[in-house]
Structures are given as C-alpha cells and as structure tokens.
Amino acid sequence: MDFSADSSYLQVSTGSYKRQVYEVPSGKQLVDQSVIDRITWATWTSVLGDEVIGIWSRHAEKADVNCACVSHSGINLVTGDDFGMVKLFDFPCPEKFVRTCFCTITKTNAVDIMVLYCFSGRRMMEIFPSLNL
C-alpha cells in the first residue's frame, strides 16, 4: 500500500494481481489512467503498474515477484522473488525484460547492520540493525 506525495491517493495491489488506486479520504476508486499516470507517489512497494513492467523476466509467473521497494531518492527499485533473489533496477523501469543487478546480503558483525551489495560490488543500501536475517 502506498500513498501519493500529497496524501490524496492510495494504491494497492490485489490478490488477483490488479493495481487499484483510490481517492483519500472518500475511498472512491480511480479508473482514469491519465489521472493515475500524473500521480507522484511518496513510496512505491507495488510489483504492479507501468512503472515496474521491467521487473518481470520473460518466464516469470504472476506470483514469482513478491515484493518491491523504491529507494528514498526514487531512482532505484529493489525486488525480492520466489527464487531467493534480491534484484536492483533503475526506477521507473517501464521497458520489458530490462537488465538487472543481482544482489547478495552481507552482515557486518562489527556494527550489526545488514548491507546489500550488487555483484558489481556497488553498495546499495543498509538495512536496519538487528533484523536477524
């Protein structure tokens, strides 16, 4: 579930793999795609939508990608899937079958912070201490 930057809209992904957008506080569903396209989102955790088409591989099924999160800067998207892979994408990624960076998770014992690294060695983000991953 994500709110728009101005808190006027809410987007959710349903169990039937549909992205739905609602007006806040009325709860009225928005169906006009041109209005939806102009919304700036404060967060993005959906695996559905034109902005994230590129996260789906050629052979992926709907349930294969489980989670997504856009960085605070709004330029990177991290996904998790059924195969235990963490992938880094540019955001938005509206092109189908884009190249991705596969990542590993490393725990630094000295400070007990989880850090994601791409195979290229680029540091992606720190995850909160004491997650026990």
Side-chain angles (χ1 to χ4, degrees):
M1 177 172 34
D2 301 292
F3 281 94
S4 63
D6 65 1
S7 299
S8 296
Y9 301 98
L10 172 77
Q11 77 171 349
V12 295
S13 300
T14 70
S16 58
Y17 300 98
K18 294 187 188 317
R19 175 186 175 200
Q20 295 179 340
V21 178
Y22 296 92
E23 292 178 353
V24 174
S26 72
K28 179 183 173 194
Q29 185 174 357
L30 262 173
V31 292
D32 185 348
Q33 190 61 45
S34 65
V35 173
I36 294 170
D37 291 343
R38 290 191 307 269
I39 298 172
T40 300
W41 296 100
T43 59
W44 189 284
T45 58
S46 178
V47 297
L48 305 174
D50 292 340
E51 297 86 344
V52 293
I53 288 175
I55 68 173
W56 299 94
S57 69
R58 292 184 195 281
H59 307 292
E61 296 180 15
K62 286 183 177 177
D64 286 349
V65 181
N66 307 117
C67 59
C69 186
V70 171
S71 63
H72 290 290
S73 63
I75 60 172
N76 297 111
L77 173 74
V78 177
T79 65
D81 64 29
D82 279 354
F83 310 105
M85 296 301 301
V86 176
K87 298 177 185 176
L88 174 67
F89 298 88
D90 291 330
F91 184 80
C93 54
E95 304 295 323
K96 288 186 178 182
F97 317 125
V98 297
R99 289 188 58 188
T100 184
C101 180
F102 294 89
C103 305
T104 59
I105 299 176
T106 304
K107 182 175 181 180
T108 58
N109 290 328
V111 291
D112 196 26
I113 293 177
M114 303 297 288
V115 181
L116 292 177
Y117 287 93
C118 289
F119 288 148
S120 66
R122 187 174 87 181
R123 181 175 164 161
M124 287 172 41
M125 66 178 64
E126 291 182 357
I127 302 177
F128 303 107
S130 304
L131 286 182
N132 298 323
L133 297 176

